[in-house]
Amino acid sequence: MVKKERIGVVVSNKPEKTIVVAVQTRYRHPKYGKILLKTKRYMAHDEENSGNSGDIVLLEESPPFSRKKKWLLKEIIKVNIN
């Protein structure tokens, strides 16, 4: 089975070896047809503590690390300069 992947922005890196990533998805309202944004936050495992706030990252689904942490940092796509 193929592992799911998500691209999002790192919101927080305060916990040890963990980052919180906000992923936005666009969808069309079923009745009115307007394009809406839905934001979901995922907790992901970051072994080297390399993800910083504002970075754009690629997450990969993995077996659970804890109750809420079920994603793994696969790659940092773009580093935030600030």
Side-chain angles (χ1 to χ4, degrees):
M1 191 161 113
V2 179
K3 293 184 178 180
K4 296 177 188 173
E5 292 184 339
R6 302 275 189 267
I7 295 176
V9 179
V10 177
V11 178
S12 171
N13 64 344
K14 303 241 190 236
E16 192 67 27
K17 295 187 178 181
T18 303
I19 56 175
V20 180
V21 180
V23 176
Q24 286 188 339
T25 54
R26 297 168 50 153
Y27 68 99
R28 185 177 294 276
H29 190 280
K31 182 175 180 182
Y32 300 111
K34 182 177 180 177
I35 303 294
L36 301 171
L37 280 177
K38 182 183 285 189
T39 304
K40 183 159 182 178
R41 293 167 46 131
Y42 295 98
M43 293 184 75
H45 185 68
D46 181 10
E47 186 65 38
E48 291 89 28
N49 286 324
S50 56
N52 292 318
S53 190
D55 293 351
I56 298 175
V57 295
L58 176 67
L59 301 180
E60 183 179 58
E61 194 176 33
S62 69
F65 290 97
S66 67
R67 183 170 69 98
K68 293 183 179 180
K69 196 161 60 165
K70 298 174 179 75
W71 293 84
L72 178 67
L73 174 66
K74 187 172 183 183
E75 154 184 14
I76 297 176
I77 297 173
K78 186 176 178 184
V79 177
N80 187 16
I81 297 171
N82 295 337

